[in-house]
Structures are given as C-alpha cells and as structure tokens.
Amino acid sequence: MRLWILIVLAMGVSGGFIVGPLQAQEPSEQKWKPDGKSGALPLTDFRPRTMLKNIRVTDLAGAKYPAIDVHGHFGRRLRGSDQGLVDFVEVMDAQNIALCISLDAQLGVNLSDHQKYLEPFENRFAVFVHLNFQGDGAAKDPASWDCHREDFARRTARLLADAKSQGVCGVKFFKQFGLGYKNPDGSFIEIDDPRWDPIWEACATLQLPVIIHTADPAAFFEPIDQFNERYEELARHPDWSFYGEEYPTRNELFAARNRVIEKHPKTQFIGAHLANNPEDLKRVSKWLDRYPNLVVEPSSRIGELGRQPYTTREFFLKYQDRILFGTDGPWPEQRLSYYWRFLETRDEYFPYSEKDPPPQGLWQIYGIDLPDPVLEKIYFRNALRVMPSLRTKYELYRKAN
Ligand SMILES: [Zn+2]
C-alpha cells in the first residue's frame, strides 16, 4: 500500500516542527512533494479535508433560546473599540444572545471605565471584577505586591462591597491565581492560602458568585513531545506549557481550589471551562456531587466536550441544573454557530473553531442534541438562578424579541 502522506515528527526536518520550543510561526518551505516518497510533510502543512459526504450540516440562525453568556472578555478582546462593541451587539442580536458578562473590569482600577465603555448597551451586559493582587508594586518584585500587605483581603472585601453597590454581579479569578502570582520568597501564592478567606467570605455575604479559572488543559502539563496531543499548539505557544518542576501539578491546583470550595459552602463558585477538566468528566461529576456550591460552564472547551459526545451528553443530562452557558468570547458568528450545533444538533464531525489551524487540537467534534428543557436551563435558567440580579435585563430582552 502506498503511503501518500508521511508525517515525521523528528529533529532536523527542515522547515517543519521540531520537538522543542520554536521561535517562528512562518509557514514551512515546501520541500516535500505530493507523491508520498520524496520527503516528509511537516505537521505545520497538514490540513486534511474530510472525505465524508452527505453528513448533516445544520444551519442555525442563533441559540434556540435567548442565551446568557457568562464568560466574556470585552476589555481584552475589543481593546476599547467602540465600533467593535457596536458590531458585537449586532452579532448578539443575530445570534440570540440576550446578555453577556464581561470579566475584564479590575477592582479599584478600571471598574467605572469599563462600565462606562459598556454603558451604551448597559442592558445587554453585566460586569464581574477581578482583583488587583499587584497594586502599586513592581511586576517583577512580588515582595512589593499589595496582596502581601497585612490588610489586603479586608480592604478587598470593602472594595467588593462598593463594587456590588455599583452594579457588579460577580468576581473573576484568572489562572495566574495559582500559576502566576508569587510570594516574596518566589513560590507561587496558593489558591487555598487562608489569607484570602475574608475575600471568599465577602463574596458569600455580598452574594457575588466567583468564576474561577484554575489550572489549564491536561496537555499543557505534559512534555511538549511527540506524544502530546496538542503538540503543534504548544509548539506555537511554548509559554503556555506548565510542565516541569517549577510549576504546581494540575492535581495540586485542583485540590487547592476544591479545598476553597469546600471551606466556603456559602460562596457560589462557577468552574470556568468545565472546571478546567473536560478531559475527565467523571472527575468533574465527583466534584459536582461533592460541592453543591459549584456550577460549571463550557467556554472554550467544546473542542474537548464535542469529541466525546456520548459521555458529554450523559454528563449534560445528569448535571443539567449545574451548567451555565459561556463562550470566552466575543467571537465571530462562525464560532458561535459551533456552540449551537454542539449543544442542539446531531451534526457529526464539524470544526469547533473558525481558526486555521484549529487552536485547541487537530480534531473535529460532534453535536450532543440536548432536549429543549435542558437547553433552556443551560442557556438562561441556571444563570438566572445563580445571578437573580440579571433577571431585569434578561426580561427586557425577551420582551423586545
Ligand atoms: Zn476567559
């Protein structure tokens, strides 16, 4: 049998990926020929086109029910562009997204600016704040960071109370919390450090849910080698790897986060990106069973979920009251359409992203065909239960549409 395509992942393939960090993202020079014999096709050039014919492609105009997207980055991705915001609200209208939560306001830094930015469409947005651990300290000198001062947590709790009175709906923790911020001695600050306890307690008292991003995809904690299923992505972004002794393990991070969830049962936690463990839904199930104050959302993880459609469907049916809708957007309409197809259809083998190459693994996904009552819960009912203050804005959208 003739080998049409030979992919070689080895040191020294000219123009192709080599094992180890890469500097350049340029397309490789074409040294191979399409005869299967004269040279290896570098992984960077591999773009298989499916030969499947007559599989269903459902063209959905938007979410089946007006959706609340609980995970958005309207600061980071739109970079203050007013036109970008106007354009995205048009996308929200077209895609039946009633409300988006922006996670990009920083407490005590740009909260009112961010609220002002969203103000022209204030009925379509709600804001979560993230905390300012650094304060006026120097980025590279952890000892100077505000979070190491005696009263940081109590001051933060007071600022959170002010933020709540200014309309803030929740609090966001980024992955740097556990994988980035440092103690004066150079160690990473720990998620379950008791110094933060007054913050978790304030979130409970103020009824501010906490969306927490802990750890990252499993592949990012593995060596960047020929066995890594996200090799080509990590070769493009070697700085995304957390493999090595200098980092806590993924399990240590999850354990620390879970101790916080357990210790603060009155605080509502939203595990961002399926509690960052969509690769192991059995384990996420155990967490949901153990912690009634935990819900999850699938943003930027339909690539993982949609490649295990039977397991995912069972999970979504069983935990239909514990899953909110999130995308990690704002995204182009094409990306959003993959979310609808993933949740609502039995479509097979379709992309999870409009990007080329696909950004989170070289594979495609399958729809899980959720029943309508479950879609309603995931698109809006669960979010309204967790954040009742969103109800007024949500009802406004429903009345107008
Ligand atoms: Zn995010």
Side-chain angles (χ1 to χ4, degrees), residues 279-351:
E279 298 94 333
D280 185 353
L281 291 177
K282 198 166 177 186
R283 207 157 156 220
V284 180
S285 303
K286 283 191 184 137
W287 297 340
L288 287 168
D289 291 342
R290 196 170 305 158
Y291 312 119
N293 54 327
L294 174 67
V295 294
V296 294
E297 56 85 9
S299 66
S300 283
R301 295 298 182 270
I302 60 170
E304 290 299 335
L305 296 166
R307 65 171 170 151
Q308 40 174 336
Y310 305 117
T311 305
T312 297
R313 188 171 196 277
E314 274 171 35
F315 177 90
F316 272 60
L317 291 178
K318 182 160 184 208
Y319 297 99
Q320 56 184 271
D321 295 309
R322 311 286 296 280
I323 303 168
L324 315 186
F325 176 69
T327 68
D328 210 8
W331 297 127
E333 288 192 272
Q334 194 181 340
R335 174 90 62 112
L336 295 169
S337 75
Y338 298 138
Y339 279 82
W340 322 137
R341 285 176 74 190
F342 161 66
L343 292 168
E344 298 179 25
T345 77
R346 290 169 65 90
D347 286 1
E348 297 169 300
Y349 204 67
F350 58 94

Side-chain angles (χ1 to χ4, degrees), residues 193-245:
D193 189 320
R195 284 183 292 171
W196 324 131
D197 281 348
I199 299 173
W200 310 123
E201 288 308 310
C203 291
T205 312
L206 298 164
Q207 293 189 303
L208 292 171
V210 173
I211 187 165
I212 185 163
H213 177 144
T214 303
D216 242 358
F220 292 10
F221 291 80
E222 297 292 316
I224 308 178
D225 63 11
Q226 70 271 41
F227 303 113
N228 194 309
E229 66 174 350
R230 287 165 73 166
Y231 171 79
E232 49 76 43
E233 174 189 4
L234 287 163
R236 275 183 276 126
H237 305 284
D239 53 313
W240 291 1
S241 173
F242 297 110
Y243 174 71
E245 275 173 11

Side-chain angles (χ1 to χ4, degrees), residues 85-156:
L85 185 64
V86 170
D87 292 345
F88 189 72
V89 172
E90 267 176 39
V91 169
M92 289 168 71
D93 290 340
Q95 297 291 323
N96 203 19
I97 299 174
L99 279 179
C100 284
I101 291 179
S102 178
L103 306 176
D104 289 351
Q106 194 173 43
L107 190 65
V109 179
N110 73 342
L111 171 58
S112 53
D113 287 347
H114 196 60
Q115 284 175 316
K116 200 165 255 161
Y117 173 61
L118 298 171
E119 200 166 50
F121 305 100
E122 61 176 343
N123 289 329
R124 306 298 293 282
F125 293 95
V127 170
F128 276 35
V129 285
H130 54 271
L131 310 185
N132 184 5
F133 286 84
Q134 183 178 337
D136 54 12
K140 292 202 170 134
D141 176 20
S144 67
W145 282 35
D146 193 23
C147 64
H148 301 307
R149 290 182 194 137
E150 194 63 22
D151 56 343
F152 172 75
R154 283 184 203 290
R155 276 186 286 120
T156 299

Side-chain angles (χ1 to χ4, degrees), residues 163 190 288 383 401:
E190 283 170 351
L288 287 168
N401 288 275

Side-chain angles (χ1 to χ4, degrees), residues 71 73 172 273 328:
H71 192 140
H73 295 288
K172 159 83 178 195
H273 315 303
D328 210 8

